[in-house]
Amino acid sequence: MPEAFNVGIGELKVSKDADAIIITRGLGSCVAVCLYDKEAGVAGMAHIMLPQDNGRGNILTARFADSGVPRLLKAMVKEGADPKEIKAKIVGGARMFHIAGGNSLLEIGERNVEAVKAVLKSLKLNLVAADTGKDYGRTVELFVATGEVLVKAIGHNTIVL
Amino acid sequence: MSQLSGGLTSKQKELLERIFKLSTDSAAVALSEMTEKPVFLESPRLGVVSLDSITNTAGGAESSVISAYLIFSGEINGNMLLVFPEQSAFKLINEILRQDDTSSEDLDKMAISVLGEVGNLVSSYFLSTLSDYTGMDLRPSSPMVVQDMIGAIISSAILMLERTPEEILCIETEIADENSKIEGYLMLFTDEDSLDKLLQIIEVR
């Protein structure tokens, strides 16, 4: 059995255990940011909830796109990853609820995805694959050795990124 | 300083629990009328919880549930979720439609509309009791029914709050009929500003 690390809401996890899988379960409008450097054998995942840090001193390190993604990158580099070699894959940002005459908050998933993409760009990280948007929840598994990402959902086929 | 950061005082907790008990009793009446059977809602548990612990309700973040979701606004803002594990949802639907057929486990149009109506009734009974007691004007949106992983539903519901709180006031109760066949949860989430306001109002009364 490979070791499985669970990433809770607003958390991040980095591993260089080649047998490990990093997992986040039941992702809705949040976004899972998966980074990996195959050469260095380092991979990490952050579970981003919201676009912008409200600066209120959060316990959760990866809660916001603008502060959480840089923290994930820093943790990757600390474990020996080379920023130039890192590839990024992102999953999530679903629109879970459709309410007639709804408000802009309904677009939170979309705004999370945009924010994450912007941060990845500013950090010059290479986004190679994405499965975002749509209207259902996902479980995301990142394989440390390969950087392969499995996306599972109820009533949908598993996607490999 | 937010009310939540230090947790609720025991007096605040007692006051809130009393109001929410009245509100859930009234929601149980709505469910009993729909099923024509006695349906009970347990005394609500009230807590200030972290996001992570809350998405592990009802069998873990990945378990498949059917949920009626709605937003309420007015003097305080928040949202409500009625959450049923799949099997329980179909049992409830069958009881309301007075059908024995349990083979159909598709969330078809009829099932969605029945659960939407359940969400509508429960939330309007609940919120009108809360309004009567506090004098606050509260307006619910129409409910929507979603079938998905519980973690995805709860976390996304919380992100719909006007301002995502650091911690969440969660009111949770279990729904059961006389044979306790129907397992379900009623959850209400509100942000810190709304909670402050609610506490101010009830402490004066």
Side-chain angles (χ1 to χ4, degrees), chain A:
Chain A
M1 269 298 276
E3 179 140 28
F5 297 111
N6 274 302
V7 183
I9 293 179
E11 294 177 351
L12 66 82
K13 177 75 198 169
V14 170
S15 173
K16 47 182 182 180
D17 174 354
D19 292 328
I21 310 173
I22 304 174
I23 304 176
T24 194
R25 300 176 204 277
L27 190 71
S29 43
C30 298
V31 174
V33 178
C34 306
L35 301 183
Y36 65 98
D37 175 351
K38 218 165 157 180
E39 203 64 35
V42 182
M45 188 193 290
H47 185 140
I48 303 292
M49 282 178 68
L50 288 164
Q52 268 151 11
D53 201 326
N54 57 15
R56 288 165 68 187
N58 295 284
I59 321 149
L60 299 173
T61 49
R63 191 166 183 174
F64 304 100
D66 60 352
S67 56
V69 179
R71 278 185 193 133
L72 175 62
L73 175 62
K74 207 171 157 191
M76 293 276 297
V77 171
K78 203 177 161 197
E79 292 296 324
D82 176 354
K84 288 192 287 295
E85 296 299 323
I86 290 176
K87 291 188 167 67
K89 295 177 179 177
I90 61 173
V91 181
R95 179 179 181 150
M96 297 296 295
F97 307 112
H98 300 263
I99 288 183
N103 57 34
S104 62
L105 290 170
L106 291 166
E107 320 293 347
I108 184 68
E110 221 170 288
R111 289 197 282 130
N112 277 337
V113 171
E114 289 312 311
V116 163
K117 283 183 177 168
V119 176
L120 289 174
K121 202 174 169 190
S122 73
L123 295 171
K124 299 189 170 59
L125 293 172
N126 189 10
L127 178 62
V128 295
D131 176 35
T132 57
K134 303 174 197 169
D135 62 355
Y136 53 83
R138 299 162 168 101
T139 283
V140 186
E141 301 182 358
L142 166 63
F143 291 78
V144 173
T146 59
E148 201 169 63
V149 172
L150 293 191
V151 185
K152 297 174 179 174
I154 294 170
H156 298 269
N157 292 329
T158 297
I159 296 173
V160 184
L161 296 180

Side-chain angles (χ1 to χ4, degrees), chain B residues 53-88:
Chain B
S53 63
I54 201 168
T55 53
N56 284 323
T57 310
E62 275 182 307
S63 57
S64 178
V65 296
I66 301 180
S67 173
Y69 167 81
L70 63 94
I71 302 169
F72 62 88
S73 55
E75 286 173 68
I76 63 171
N77 300 305
N79 49 41
M80 285 181 78
L81 273 178
L82 262 177
V83 179
F84 300 98
E86 260 178 36
Q87 295 248 316
S88 288

Side-chain angles (χ1 to χ4, degrees), chain B residues 133-160:
Chain B
Y133 193 87
T134 58
M136 287 188 301
D137 173 33
L138 299 172
R139 294 178 302 271
S141 72
S142 50
M144 56 167 309
V145 176
V146 176
Q147 178 176 28
D148 215 309
M149 299 180 199
I150 188 166
I153 291 175
I154 294 180
S155 61
S156 305
I158 289 163
L159 291 183
M160 306 284 280

